[in-house]
Amino acid sequence: MKERNQIMLLSEKAYQRIDRELTKYPDEQKRSAIMASLTIAQEEKGWVSAEVIEDVANYLGVPPIQVEEVATFYNMFHTKPVGKFTISVCTNLPCALREGVKSGEYLKEKLGIDYGETTADGMFSLVMGECMGSCGDAPVMLVNNQHMCVHMESERIDAMVEELKKHGDSA
């Protein structure tokens, strides 16, 4: 556990979750917990800033570059602020062949943003996603890296956005 005289960027609960992840690996393999630790940090903060990356590295006892490499390699980690809801649109070939490009264009027009952007109200960010392993259900979208949406034609996109707006407004 972190010493109390260090600045703690995450909550005590987050560090406890990271501690549970660390128990899954031998002491000399702490870097194996980097992905889980970044996921925990991002769930709490919404994104992983340079300070959070360094904090996770210090907590795990690994060089910060190892954590930064993971955070910048995987597109599930956000290294700049994002909206309350991040919608990843699968842009790989199977989805593209099954109206994925059209659905992505429809969503961009509906939200008034392009890939890599966030709506002015901070509600939605839109990103290009890699294969989500559900090619038969294309086009596929993923909300906040947790909720997969399939067969995303315009009507389903409208319903998804409206539901997310309701959820976002009530939070």
Side-chain angles (χ1 to χ4, degrees), residues 146-164:
Q146 295 180 348
H147 180 74
M148 186 174 294
C149 304
V150 298
H151 305 292
M152 296 306 291
E153 289 85 18
S154 57
E155 300 81 25
R156 292 179 64 96
I157 291 170
D158 290 343
M160 174 191 69
V161 169
E162 289 311 309
E163 185 63 30
L164 292 173

Side-chain angles (χ1 to χ4, degrees), residues 1-9 15 55 58-59:
M1 187 50 112
K2 223 174 226 231
E3 293 183 30
R4 293 290 174 208
N5 60 358
Q6 283 186 295
I7 296 174
M8 297 178 76
L9 297 180
Y15 291 116
D55 185 58
N58 290 337
Y59 194 80

Side-chain angles (χ1 to χ4, degrees), residues 26-102:
D27 287 341
E28 66 276 4
Q29 293 296 319
K30 290 181 179 182
R31 66 185 246 163
S32 297
I34 291 173
M35 284 188 72
S37 300
L38 284 172
T39 299
I40 291 165
Q42 183 166 280
E43 285 173 2
E44 184 168 290
K45 296 293 188 180
W47 65 294
V48 289
S49 65
E51 294 80 16
V52 168
I53 289 171
E54 185 170 348
D55 185 58
V56 167
N58 290 337
Y59 194 80
L60 296 178
V62 299
I65 188 65
Q66 288 183 353
V67 178
E68 186 175 349
E69 287 171 343
V70 172
T72 57
F73 179 79
Y74 293 101
N75 69 356
M76 70 183 102
F77 297 116
H78 308 296
T79 56
K80 64 179 186 173
V82 292
K84 180 175 182 130
F85 301 107
T86 300
I87 303 172
S88 300
V89 179
C90 181
T91 56
N92 283 120
L93 188 57
C95 279
L97 291 173
R98 296 188 64 197
E99 303 296 331
V101 173
K102 181 179 175 183

